[in-house]
Each structure stands twice: as structure tokens, then as C-alpha cells.
Amino acid sequence: MRLLLAEDEASLSRAVVTILRKNNYTVDAAYDGIEVLEYLESNEYDGVILDVMMPRMDGISVLQQIRKDGNNVPVLILTAKAEVDDKVLGLDSGANDYLTKPFASRELLARIRAMTRNGAAVQGDSRLHFGNITLDYATFTLSSHAGSFVLANKDFQMIELMMRNSGQIISAEQFMNRIWGFETSTESNVVWTYISYLRKKLAALRADVEIRARRNAGYSLEKGGIK
């Protein structure tokens, strides 16, 4: 899952990015309001964490512009302004949630999960299902009736993206942008390497879903694997 963090305080931005990446999110960081709009114009995100007090363009104005443009990306307002009127303004401007500083990392992660919960069937706060396989956000585990694997960061993010978009073709470029980041210098053939890892895990789990390759198009997760 790919997030955009908009926070102009460099030390806090680095800390939040570290927290999110350790919890298997891909994160781009913006440091002012205009930069946020530029990122959103050229990239797709599953959620935006948006500070209010930013240079060049404040967070509320950014949020209003996002919604005016017809972009329904989930937005979590993250700010030191805790007055009720400020919260009402943020929510009325189109925010999905509002979290005040200082905050606990567990609460931030819970609010992100809540605002981005969509796509494939989700059970409770932490599990995603497709076919006979289950992906658990709390333990980073991919499992079926035949066993389980604790996934590394990139494995987890790739299978999550495919499970949330089951049946849809995802290109190598989309994987690169969403998981390795827009400015990565990593070669795109690394996607095939991780697809190979995941196929072996699905086979070992006797999954009834499989990753199919589409020539010159990409990959899709579909029903029809070993049961």
C-alpha cells in the first residue's frame, strides 16, 4: 500500500516515514502544499497523511483542491491544532479522519488501516482474503489450510497489492512505482524475481489462486491454482 506523507518538519517526517516503512507501507514524503498536489497529479496513492500548517499552501487548502479536482483519495489530517472548530473545518473540507500531535504510532497505524480499508474482503482490522489464502497485517503472514509463511517487506506489499486488485493486470511499472517508489533506481526486472518467490509460496500453501503473467502487460492474481 502506497501513502503520501505531507509534513514540513523534517525530523517528524523522517520518523513517520520510518514507522510506516517498518509496517510494510511504501511512502513518498512531501514538504509543502504545492509539492503535495504535484505528487498527486503524477502518482496514485492509497492514502494521504496531511499536515495543516505547511509552507506555500496550507493543508486545508490542499485538501479542498484535492476534492475540487474530484480526487477521492483517503486523507488523514495530522496536526497540532486540536480545537473542535479546526477539526470540523478539516472534516467538512473532505478529510476522512483527524489525528492531533503528539500521537502514538499505534493509533496512527490503526487510523491509516481504517481509512484505507477497501478492495478484497477484510476481516476485522488485520486480515485480507482471496480464495483460500489469508494475508494478516498484524503478523505479516500469508496462510492457507496447508500452512503459513511470514513474509518479508516487498513480498508482503506485492501480494497485498494483487489481493486488493484480484483479477486486474498490474504492470511491472505499477509495482515499481507503488512499492519501490517513484524515484527508485532499482531495475524493473526485480519484479519478476519477487513474483517467482510468491508463486513458490502459493504452491507450497496449495492455494486455489495463482499469479498469471500477461505478455507485455503485467501480472494478475486469479482463481485457479492448486487446491
Side-chain angles (χ1 to χ4, degrees):
M1 186 170 293
R2 189 177 185 184
L3 302 175
L4 176 61
L5 170 66
E7 169 59 60
D8 67 312
E9 185 181 334
S11 59
L12 178 57
S13 177
R14 288 193 297 269
V16 174
V17 166
T18 298
I19 291 168
L20 295 175
R21 287 178 176 167
K22 285 184 176 179
N23 284 273
N24 293 311
Y25 291 102
T26 297
V27 189
D28 290 327
Y31 299 94
D32 65 66
I34 298 299
E35 192 176 14
V36 173
L37 295 178
E38 291 172 348
Y39 268 100
L40 289 170
E41 186 175 344
S42 56
N43 301 279
E44 292 185 6
Y45 294 95
D46 298 292
V48 177
I49 304 168
L50 185 62
D51 188 25
V52 171
M53 302 300 292
M54 291 190 296
R56 300 179 68 191
M57 188 174 187
D58 68 87
I60 296 299
S61 298
V62 170
L63 177 57
Q64 291 170 342
Q65 185 63 51
I66 291 172
R67 298 309 186 217
K68 182 179 179 181
D69 293 341
N71 191 335
N72 293 318
V73 62
V75 174
L76 170 65
I77 292 287
L78 185 64
T79 180
K81 302 179 73 173
E83 290 77 9
V84 172
D85 287 348
D86 292 318
K87 294 181 180 181
V88 170
L89 177 60
L91 294 170
D92 284 347
S93 296
N96 297 78
D97 202 354
Y98 198 110
L99 181 61
T100 56
K101 306 173 187 177
F103 57 87
S105 59
R106 289 178 61 192
E107 183 178 7
L108 172 64
L109 293 169
R111 288 177 181 268
I112 291 170
R113 288 195 300 270
M115 79 170 184
T116 57
R117 191 178 303 135
N118 55 29
V122 176
Q123 184 181 73
D125 285 342
S126 65
R127 286 183 287 174
L128 186 66
H129 304 275
F130 183 60
N132 69 347
I133 62 172
T134 298
L135 187 66
D136 193 317
Y137 292 95
T139 61
F140 308 143
T141 299
L142 182 69
S143 63
S144 73
H145 65 282
S148 64
F149 290 99
V150 176
L151 301 182
N153 188 4
K154 296 296 189 293
D155 290 330
F156 181 93
Q157 292 183 70
M158 287 189 71
I159 194 66
E160 182 206 24
L161 182 57
M162 287 187 284
M163 288 177 71
R164 286 189 176 275
N165 298 276
S166 56
Q168 299 181 32
I169 297 174
I170 303 172
S171 68
E173 182 180 5
Q174 288 174 307
F175 277 118
M176 293 299 297
N177 288 342
R178 295 288 293 274
I179 296 173
W180 277 265
F182 184 68
E183 298 179 353
T184 182
S185 59
T186 305
E187 296 293 333
S188 61
N189 57 12
V190 72
V191 172
W192 167 250
T193 301
Y194 280 92
I195 291 292
S196 178
Y197 293 158
L198 288 171
R199 281 176 166 166
K200 291 176 181 178
K201 289 180 173 63
L202 290 174
L205 292 174
R206 301 192 62 80
D208 62 1
V209 301
E210 61 183 345
I211 301 172
R212 296 179 182 174
R214 309 295 187 188
R215 184 179 296 272
N216 299 322
Y219 306 91
S220 62
L221 185 67
E222 301 181 17
K223 294 287 186 68
I226 299 173
K227 297 182 180 179

